[in-house]
């Protein structure tokens, strides 16, 4: 008999790394020798969407370079407080697509589950930066309702775990969610949209790999890296481990001014992804969310860049340039 004492799990390495993410801009800038750049920060932007960056991600930034492509992704520049016409709080119509609390369905056959509002990192260009996550965090009762919604709609054959970042949830919770989903016979595929293998590789541990390799679902993991420098050896290692667990790996990136909006960076990203067995999937044009206008790259510039990189890469390493347009039945191809 197992005694009925309360078992408190000891936090795992990744949970410690997650609770130690850097939230203080002074600490971030000091580590990079950029103490003098504090006044480049927007205090208002910090209040509405705080700084959040894992230590291992900071370790991949270049010392002393305010324009480092990784730093730029997390740095709340003063530009965020400018109001720009056409940049809105919910650019992709997520509020309208909530079919039951915690479920977003815009496209045929696949339903997206908002599993948590939390992320390990705060990407300044994130289209969900103003999304009322707390209202859509599934409580236990909402989970039952979400399962019912999925059971009732036989046209759905793929569930996408999203958020926030679904992998900030613990493995017990995730494994039990997947068990519930497995009981719905018309579901075939489980897709996981996550940035954690890139920004907190510690997360990919034995217990995660165990539930991934034991599920009846075909598992597709869509990671999110925008620049080759994000994929160092520790990231490469966990991507290999995921592949070995039977996961198909895809990458989605966002085309971001000052970060990857040149053909050299895009070619290097695709090559690096290929080295670690990840196929480029989407290159998204920026969703026009308030506070992110300084990252915007025009459709035409995006098309030109894709045409450029086609000359340097095999076709399968050229990502699909897309934009998300409200009310459309899929992402809209641009090139
Ligand atoms: C982007 C998105 C998907 C996935 O679209 P794919 O083209 O299948 O990658 C699914 N649901 C929602 C709500 C989305 O925004
Ligand atoms: S990890 Fe994804 S959801 Fe989270 S802040 Fe970055 S872009 Fe947004």
């Amino acid at each position: 008999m197992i005694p009925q004492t309360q078992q408190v799990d000891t936090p795992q390495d990744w949970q410690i790394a997650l609770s130690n993410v850097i939230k203080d801009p002074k600490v971030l800038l000091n580590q990079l020798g950029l103490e003098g750049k504090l006044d480049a920060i927007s205090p208002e932007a910090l209040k509405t969407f705080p700084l959040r960056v894992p230590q291992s991600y900071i370790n991949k930034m270049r010392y002393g370079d305010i324009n480092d492509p990784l730093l730029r992704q997390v740095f709340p520049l003063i530009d965020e407080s400018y109001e720009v016409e056409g940049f809105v709080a919910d650019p992709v119509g997520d509020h309208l697509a909530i079919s039951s609390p915690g479920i977003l369905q815009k496209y045929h056959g696949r339903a997206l589950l908002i599993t948590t509002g939390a992320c390990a990192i705060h990407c300044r260009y994130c289209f969900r930066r103003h999304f009322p996550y707390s209202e859509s965090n599934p409580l236990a009762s909402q989970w039952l309702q979400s399962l019912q919604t999925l059971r009732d709609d036989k046209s759905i054959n793929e569930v996408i775990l999203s958020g926030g970042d679904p992998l900030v949830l613990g493995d017990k919770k995730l494994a039990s969610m997947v068990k519930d989903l497995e009981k719905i016979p018309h579901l075939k595929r489980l897709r996981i949209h996550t940035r954690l293998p890139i920004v907190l590789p510690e997360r990919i541990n034995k217990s995660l790999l165990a539930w991934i390799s034991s599920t009846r679902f075909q598992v597709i993991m869509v990671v999110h890296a925008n620049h080759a420098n994000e994929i160092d050896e520790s990231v490469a290692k966990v991507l290999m481990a995921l592949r070995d667990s039977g996961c198909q790996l895809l990458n989605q990136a966002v085309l971001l001014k000052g970060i990857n909006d040149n053909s050299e960076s895009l070619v290097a990203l695709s090559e690096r992804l290929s080295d670690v067995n990840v196929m480029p999937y989407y290159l998204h044009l920026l969703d026009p969310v308030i506070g992110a206008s300084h990252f915007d790259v025009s459709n035409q510039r995006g098309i030109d860049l894709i045409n450029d990189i086609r000359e340097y890469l095999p076709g399968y390493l050229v990502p699909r340039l897309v934009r998300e347009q409200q009310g459309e039945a899929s992402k809209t191809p641009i090139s």
Side-chain angles (χ1 to χ4, degrees):
M1 283 280 286
I2 300 163
Q4 295 281 314
T5 50
Q6 190 111 52
Q7 288 255 328
V8 182
D9 289 343
T10 45
Q12 304 193 333
D13 288 352
W14 71 269
Q15 287 166 319
I16 294 166
L18 186 62
S19 60
N20 288 338
V21 294
I22 304 302
K23 299 175 190 153
D24 182 346
K26 280 200 200 99
V27 174
L28 170 67
L29 290 175
N30 277 343
Q31 284 196 33
L32 297 168
L34 293 167
E35 302 80 352
K37 300 287 183 186
L38 259 182
D39 54 2
I41 288 179
S42 159
E44 301 91 66
L46 268 183
K47 262 183 242 149
T48 54
F49 190 52
L51 180 90
R52 201 170 160 78
V53 51
Q55 184 61 50
S56 66
Y57 196 75
I58 301 175
N59 298 347
K60 295 183 274 190
M61 296 173 185
R62 288 188 295 253
Y63 187 83
D65 184 359
I66 189 75
N67 294 317
D68 176 84
L70 278 56
L71 177 59
R72 287 293 308 277
Q73 293 181 49
V74 299
F75 192 69
L77 272 184
I78 200 91
D79 306 46
E80 290 191 16
S81 44
Y82 305 151
E83 265 184 53
V84 177
E85 215 188 306
F87 283 74
V88 298
D90 178 22
V92 298
D94 272 357
H95 293 255
L96 301 172
I98 298 177
S99 56
S100 85
I103 293 196
L104 280 176
Q105 200 190 353
K106 292 184 184 171
Y107 308 143
H108 180 84
R110 50 249 200 251
L112 190 147
L113 291 180
I114 305 278
T115 54
T116 169
C119 281
I121 188 166
H122 280 173
C123 315
R124 306 312 300 180
Y125 52 84
C126 181
F127 72 90
R128 292 204 175 115
R129 55 184 287 171
H130 307 284
F131 196 71
Y133 284 125
S134 50
E135 293 165 28
S136 54
N137 269 358
L139 306 166
S141 61
Q142 286 183 2
W143 176 241
L144 295 178
Q145 207 180 323
S146 297
L147 285 174
Q148 194 56 47
T149 305
L150 295 171
R151 254 192 302 267
D152 290 345
D153 187 346
K154 293 209 166 55
S155 74
I156 297 172
N157 59 17
E158 175 168 356
V159 167
I160 303 172
L161 302 183
S162 184
D165 199 310
L167 293 190
V168 303
L169 300 175
D171 289 312
K172 265 192 199 149
K173 170 117 201 215
L174 286 165
S176 99
M177 290 170 86
V178 172
K179 263 214 175 83
D180 290 341
L181 293 168
E182 280 175 337
K183 289 182 197 135
I184 304 176
H186 52 270
L187 297 179
K188 297 196 295 189
R189 288 186 291 270
L190 180 73
R191 201 196 307 187
I192 304 166
H193 279 183
T194 176
R195 195 149 153 71
L196 285 204
I198 309 295
V199 304
L200 200 89
E202 301 93 323
R203 175 64 186 93
I204 312 306
N205 59 2
K206 282 204 183 100
S207 58
L208 176 105
L209 295 167
W211 68 257
I212 286 180
S213 54
S214 69
T215 174
R216 75 164 174 87
F217 290 128
Q218 182 187 0
V219 182
I220 301 105
M221 187 175 282
V222 184
V223 299
H224 170 183
N226 301 307
H227 194 280
N229 292 1
E230 288 173 66
I231 306 169
D232 65 359
E233 279 318 297
S234 59
V235 172
K237 213 169 113 196
V238 303
L239 292 170
M240 295 293 186
L242 282 164
R243 207 261 319 245
D244 291 344
S245 78
C247 245
Q248 196 173 329
L249 291 164
L250 304 171
N251 182 62
Q252 52 184 344
V254 183
L255 186 57
L256 297 164
K257 191 170 174 179
I259 292 170
N260 59 11
D261 62 332
N262 59 79
S263 42
E264 297 75 26
S265 294
L266 293 175
V267 169
L269 175 61
S270 274
E271 287 287 354
R272 186 71 186 128
L273 289 167
S274 164
D275 292 344
V276 294
N277 288 297
V278 181
M279 284 295 115
Y281 180 37
Y282 283 143
L283 179 62
H284 294 271
L285 285 158
L286 183 77
D287 297 310
V289 66
I290 293 172
S293 62
H294 56 295
F295 290 120
D296 197 31
V297 178
S298 70
N299 279 17
Q300 190 53 53
R301 177 77 184 136
I303 293 168
D304 293 345
L305 283 168
I306 292 290
N307 286 336
D308 280 354
I309 69 173
R310 258 194 249 283
E311 293 180 27
Y312 295 93
L313 292 168
Y316 57 85
L317 292 184
V318 179
R320 278 159 260 187
L321 185 69
V322 291
R323 183 183 283 291
E324 180 150 355
Q325 273 164 334
Q326 237 180 80
E328 294 293 315
S330 71
K331 309 275 188 260
T332 309
I334 299 298
S335 59

